[in-house]
Amino acid sequence: MQKNDELILKIEDMGVDGAGIGKSDGMTFFVKDAVIGDVVRAKIIKLKKTYGYARLMELLEASADRVEPNCPYYRQCGGCQIQALSYEKQLEFKENKVRNNLERIGGFTKIPMEPIVGMDEPYHYRNKAQFPVGTDKEGHIVTGFYAGRTHTIIPNRDCALGLPVNREILDIVIDFMEKYHISAYDEKTGKGLVRHILIRCGFSSQEKMVCLIINGKSLPHGEKLVEALRKIDGMTSISLNCNTERTNVILGHKTIVLWGQEYITDQIGDISYEISPVSFYQVNPVQTEVLYGLACEYAGLTGNETVWDLYCGIGTISLFLAGKAKQVYGVEIIPQAIEDARKNAEINGIENAEFYVGKAEEVLPDYYRKYETEHPGEHAHADVIVVDPPRKGCVQRLLETMVRMEAERIVYVSCDSATLARDLKYLCGNGYEMKKVRTVDMFPHTVHVETCVLLQRRTM
Ligand code: SAH
């Protein structure tokens, strides 16, 4: 077997990045854009000892679960990976992935899994989009999405995951740029003005935000752009964000309001959040409410509990739980997010939520140690600990402190079921029992999925 050989593969599984997996001669092959159930002719493009990568050349037999993707660019675009798979099958794939990781990495056998929560309407769910701006070969301004793993812009103003109003806004911005000869930024030379167009929409408030990220300090004829954009229903915030660095980081530090407010407001459940161009905010508000509702249900609060919300971001979960708990403590590493969390607590009149800036694995152990010193013979206790870490999961030191605090319940919200399984293995080996697991599809058509787990402390 060698590079450029062609193989016939039956696709039996999909990998973490959504590529189809087929076997031939004991070797595993990853084929991008092939879905479970397909039979394909594929050409080997890279060969390793036990596995390889192959390019889809011909679909010999289409899987019964294959559907016509909603977006004509889905194969080139880096945003979606599994749009060609029926939504039902996507959900099955995601649930299986979580179960497999819990079994394989966590060593769990009886997994109390509740059915995955999918979306009724799995398109147009994103409340935020960041469109890169560039210039094509003919010198026209283009905007769209980066092709997978590159910075080549595929012109497309109609992303199937975004809102229809994005197109209206992009048309206005690009027409404005053409008319007033405003240049697009060029990553290669570092020259040109407009880098990205950021659009946010509050799903429940219907407030809309447009922010142009520019390689400079001002936008010539900006008042003309404002005049056109403010006609859009719900327009609340039009701003510039200055980023003159040569970097892949999209946003800079300075935001200049051109019109309206710097932020929009949105509600998830009963809680209002103020969102500025630089704020972190969950991109799928419908499923966020489902996921945090689940976290709340698992937390089993009666009003008397002390709750820690580790990796709290802008305090979304903390504020969700505060109304049902005695006291909530949030911990988050990004100072700006904590500023947002405090402000959000204030605008919602929540007084029993306190926030700390720092690493969860430092703040919690420090708190524990300090408590011991100040209360000899006692130790810090929490009734419920919620964690929602980034993909790498929790560090051991944090898990150890969580165990020491003897929380009655731990609610683990995870965006990576492999590190989730690793951390659950530790917690369940140290006094906890897995009571419930439920996966929520926050990002339809991508391979990503969120999982919420309830752990209960075993009575000794
Ligand atoms: N629950 C939050 C989002 C969690 S995403 C919400 O819904 O708003 C994970 C968060 O963990 C991010 O905000 C990230 O900045 C933060 N983070 C990353 N490493 C951390 C660490 N070591 N300690 C505390 N927070 C951390």
Side-chain angles (χ1 to χ4, degrees):
M1 221 181 258
Q2 56 190 27
K3 198 175 157 185
N4 291 329
D5 278 2
E6 290 201 347
L7 304 164
I8 308 285
L9 295 169
K10 165 117 183 126
I11 304 300
E12 276 156 3
D13 199 359
M14 289 191 317
V16 283
D17 59 355
I21 296 179
K23 297 220 155 121
S24 176
D25 269 348
M27 295 273 292
T28 302
F29 285 96
F30 296 91
V31 190
K32 187 175 159 325
D33 301 320
V35 305
I36 300 173
D38 282 344
V39 178
V40 302
R41 181 164 63 83
K43 188 189 217 160
I44 300 178
I45 47 179
K46 205 175 194 178
L47 207 52
K48 302 272 185 182
K49 247 195 189 126
T50 56
Y51 66 96
Y53 297 90
R55 179 174 295 122
L56 174 60
M57 304 301 285
E58 191 186 352
L59 188 59
L60 299 173
E61 234 177 82
S63 162
D65 300 307
R66 201 171 243 289
V67 294
E68 189 58 42
N70 206 319
C71 170
Y73 304 101
Y74 99 99
R75 270 189 81 168
Q76 296 119 285
C77 176
C80 294
Q81 299 87 39
I82 52 175
Q83 232 188 73
L85 193 64
S86 72
Y87 188 55
E88 220 174 42
K89 200 74 185 173
Q90 288 184 21
L91 293 176
E92 194 184 308
F93 162 69
K94 292 184 183 190
E95 196 175 54
N96 284 339
K97 185 161 93 171
V98 174
R99 187 182 293 105
N100 288 343
N101 278 338
L102 291 177
E103 287 173 358
R104 207 166 40 81
I105 302 169
F108 295 99
T109 44
K110 283 195 208 100
I111 298 167
M113 227 159 158
E114 306 187 285
I116 183 167
V117 193
M119 294 194 81
D120 296 334
E121 192 44 76
Y123 284 101
H124 307 297
Y125 60 81
R126 285 185 62 102
N127 59 13
K128 171 187 173 185
Q130 303 180 109
F131 296 87
V133 183
T135 314
D136 70 8
K137 286 196 194 77
E138 282 82 44
H140 298 297
I141 306 282
V142 288
T143 189
F145 287 89
Y146 291 133
R149 297 205 178 91
T150 75
H151 271 198
T152 311
I153 297 172
I154 301 166
N156 173 21
R157 301 180 196 180
D158 272 325
C159 168
L161 304 190
L163 294 173
V165 73
N166 290 347
R167 160 152 224 141
E168 214 182 313
I169 291 168
L170 293 176
D171 286 349
I172 290 173
V173 178
I174 303 301
D175 286 352
F176 159 80
M177 287 178 67
E178 298 271 13
K179 186 165 173 195
Y180 293 97
H181 306 287
I182 309 287
S183 58
Y185 180 68
D186 181 344
E187 281 184 338
K188 290 199 188 78
T189 61
K191 297 209 164 69
L193 191 63
V194 181
R195 300 171 76 123
H196 275 87
I197 303 163
L198 165 70
I199 303 172
R200 284 183 131 152
C201 177
F203 269 43
S204 49
S205 66
Q206 283 304 311
E207 293 185 1
K208 295 175 185 74
M209 162 188 291
V210 179
C211 176
L212 262 56
I213 294 104
I214 57 168
N215 173 38
K217 293 196 183 76
S218 64
L219 179 71
H221 310 285
E223 71 288 351
K224 298 288 180 202
L225 179 66
V226 165
E227 201 177 293
L229 283 176
R230 42 182 293 203
K231 293 198 181 103
I232 289 178
D233 217 24
M235 188 56 66
T236 304
S237 168
I238 304 173
S239 63
L240 301 174
N241 174 276
C242 308
N243 183 358
T244 51
E245 312 262 311
R246 292 191 72 171
T247 162
N248 281 340
V249 176
I250 295 180
L251 288 159
H253 298 294
K254 192 169 166 208
T255 301
I256 303 168
V257 177
L258 289 181
W259 179 84
Q261 315 169 168
E262 185 173 344
Y263 57 86
I264 57 170
T265 306
D266 194 28
Q267 290 82 34
I268 299 179
D270 297 333
I271 309 289
S272 295
Y273 299 90
E274 275 184 13
I275 312 143
S276 78
V278 297
S279 296
F280 171 85
Y281 187 58
Q282 294 282 358
V283 295
N284 182 339
V286 173
Q287 293 300 81
T288 298
E289 187 167 351
V290 172
L291 183 68
Y292 294 169
L294 203 58
C296 194
E297 181 195 317
Y298 285 5
L301 302 175
T302 62
N304 298 318
E305 293 82 1
T306 301
V307 181
W308 283 81
D309 175 18
L310 307 176
Y311 309 90
C312 70
I314 58 162
T316 329
I317 299 180
S318 317
L319 302 181
F320 230 69
L321 301 184
K324 300 194 177 66
K326 187 167 96 192
Q327 177 68 38
V328 179
Y329 299 104
V331 183
E332 158 66 42
I333 198 169
I334 296 179
Q336 170 68 39
I338 289 292
E339 254 171 62
D340 283 357
R342 289 185 180 134
K343 193 181 58 196
N344 289 329
E346 193 185 317
I347 62 173
N348 288 285
I350 293 174
E351 289 174 350
N352 60 338
E354 208 178 297
F355 296 97
Y356 299 99
V357 179
K359 289 185 180 171
E361 63 270 30
E362 288 173 3
V363 172
L364 202 67
D366 286 354
Y367 174 86
Y368 189 89
R369 223 174 298 122
K370 195 159 167 240
Y371 193 96
E372 260 185 336
T373 328
E374 287 170 4
H375 307 78
E378 289 179 48
H379 70 79
H381 173 77
D383 296 297
V384 178
I385 298 178
V386 181
V387 291
D388 184 4
R391 307 199 66 160
K392 66 175 194 282
C394 302
V395 294
Q396 174 102 4
R397 186 156 171 243
L398 174 63
L399 297 174
E400 283 165 12
T401 309
M402 285 162 62
V403 168
R404 279 204 205 120
M405 285 177 77
E406 299 182 337
E408 213 41 57
R409 289 175 292 286
I410 294 176
V411 179
Y412 197 133
V413 180
S414 161
C415 56
D416 186 319
S417 54
T419 56
L420 169 70
R422 179 200 67 201
D423 292 351
L424 292 183
K425 188 176 180 178
Y426 177 86
L427 293 167
C428 291
N430 286 280
Y432 283 87
E433 190 178 350
M434 197 191 317
K435 285 290 185 191
K436 283 178 184 170
V437 180
R438 194 160 199 179
T439 296
V440 177
D441 190 23
M442 287 265 256
F443 313 105
H445 309 293
T446 78
V447 289
H448 304 291
V449 72
E450 296 276 330
T451 305
C452 189
V453 179
L454 168 62
L455 301 177
Q456 174 90 41
R457 200 164 96 85
R458 281 197 209 97
T459 37
M460 303 287 169

